[in-house]
Amino acid sequence: MILVGIVLLLAYLQFGRDVRVISSMLMSSDQYYEQKLTIVANKLFILDKDKFAEEMIERCMDNDFREMKFSYDLLGSPDKIEITVYLNERDRKCAHQFFVIEYDSICRLWK
């Protein structure tokens, strides 16, 4: 029974919580629009950073975050997106970032 409880707890901590946007900052000029986000992944681990990064860029473009809605009606989609990723809230409080996602829509690159 204890083993089942531990497995359920670990499954919830890894899969049961959605990504949470902590902050966002927008910078725009005449023809350029940049968006910076800080997110908490709410995961124990992320094995495939590339897949996770693709999902986060897609969620930004689809405006699919529960806590934050972006206004793309005036400036359109951002030219550059930078997302600082923390695995969990404890890592964020300790300023231990997991990785940074950078997406440039002009070159269609992200790293």
Side-chain angles (χ1 to χ4, degrees), residues 24-74:
S24 72
M25 183 173 67
L26 306 173
M27 292 179 286
S28 65
S29 64
D30 188 33
Q31 297 293 322
Y32 185 76
Y33 174 33
E34 185 175 331
Q35 183 175 21
K36 292 187 176 191
L37 300 172
T38 301
I39 65 170
V40 174
N42 286 321
K43 305 278 185 205
L44 297 174
F45 55 87
I46 297 173
L47 292 178
D48 191 349
K49 288 183 183 179
D50 292 335
K51 182 180 175 188
F52 184 82
E54 287 176 11
E55 290 171 0
M56 292 304 104
I57 295 299
E58 187 174 315
R59 286 185 74 174
C60 282
M61 294 302 197
D62 293 343
N63 206 2
D64 187 34
F65 289 107
R66 200 171 20 146
E67 300 87 7
M68 184 88 48
K69 293 297 178 191
F70 309 113
S71 177
Y72 294 151
D73 54 344
L74 296 176

